[in-house]
Amino acid sequence: LPIFMKKMVGLALAALMLVGCSSGGGGGSAETVKCSGTMQGLDATVNLEFDGDEKLTGLEMIMSMDMGSEEGASQLEGQESYFAETLGVDESTVDIKADGSEIEITIDMNRSQMQDSDLFGDVDLDASKEEMIKSMEDDAGLTCQDRSEERRVGKECRSRW
């Protein structure tokens, strides 16, 4: 359990600290940039949400791993407060779910929660979208896909027809 928690905390810190670069801007519609891949043996997905001015408005990070047994995975359930305290984030932003031997930890924060967290310290939350994507790809080794909110909503609507 401690090795897994160290791995998760290390991954979370690495991915979240990559968000800070320099400031930038622009116009347009809201967008979500999905970055995914494997970091330190964990499957990771980081969804960066930007407003029409390309300002970061939210971050969702989903980390998953096969713990090898249901017992190993179930030991992490209910550990949101420990994980949140370790990362210096509000407990309400952390969710841990076990499904068989798989564990999934989600950190979901809006801009205000990021600003109030210890985790973000010196991170520039006004970094440009392009620099954040570049950092996720170059430094974290994740693959990022940019998708506009209008496209996403349009696809959801078409799928209902």
Side-chain angles (χ1 to χ4, degrees), residues 94-111:
V94 180
D95 184 43
I96 301 176
K97 294 179 186 169
D99 183 12
S101 64
E102 291 282 326
I103 191 73
E104 180 178 279
I105 299 178
T106 302
I107 300 171
D108 193 358
M109 304 175 83
N110 62 35
R111 187 178 183 89

Side-chain angles (χ1 to χ4, degrees), residues 4 8 41-44 62-66 102-105:
F4 178 74
M8 295 299 282
L42 303 171
D43 291 329
I62 304 164
M63 301 162 286
S64 61
M65 179 180 187
D66 189 329
E102 291 282 326
I103 191 73
E104 180 178 279
I105 299 178

Side-chain angles (χ1 to χ4, degrees), residues 10-152:
L11 171 64
L13 289 170
L16 293 175
M17 293 309 288
L18 293 175
V19 173
C21 297
S22 64
S23 62
S29 63
E31 293 186 75
T32 300
V33 176
K34 178 181 180 179
C35 302
S36 58
T38 302
M39 292 177 63
Q40 300 178 12
L42 303 171
D43 291 329
T45 300
V46 179
N47 295 310
L48 302 169
E49 299 171 18
F50 297 90
D51 64 15
D53 292 325
E54 297 190 353
K55 297 282 186 188
L56 185 67
T57 60
L59 175 141
E60 176 189 48
M61 183 154 74
I62 304 164
M63 301 162 286
S64 61
M65 179 180 187
D66 189 329
M67 296 295 292
S69 70
E70 286 187 38
E71 182 181 349
S74 67
Q75 288 178 354
L76 286 177
E77 280 190 305
Q79 297 296 319
E80 287 88 352
S81 61
Y82 171 79
F83 196 75
E85 184 178 323
T86 303
L87 291 175
V89 300
D90 187 273
E91 185 177 343
S92 68
T93 66
V94 180
D95 184 43
I96 301 176
K97 294 179 186 169
D99 183 12
S101 64
E102 291 282 326
I103 191 73
E104 180 178 279
I105 299 178
T106 302
I107 300 171
D108 193 358
M109 304 175 83
N110 62 35
R111 187 178 183 89
S112 175
Q113 290 166 322
M114 286 185 273
Q115 290 170 328
D116 293 341
S117 74
D118 295 339
L119 182 60
F120 283 89
D122 296 333
V123 174
D124 180 5
L125 296 177
D126 291 323
S128 73
K129 181 179 78 172
E130 290 77 21
E131 288 181 344
M132 288 184 191
I133 292 170
K134 182 174 176 16
S135 182
M136 286 289 180
E137 291 178 335
D138 294 350
D139 299 334
L142 300 176
T143 301
C144 298
Q145 296 176 331
D146 199 357
R147 63 177 200 242
S148 74
E149 184 70 9
E150 291 172 359
R151 275 186 42 211
R152 185 187 64 75

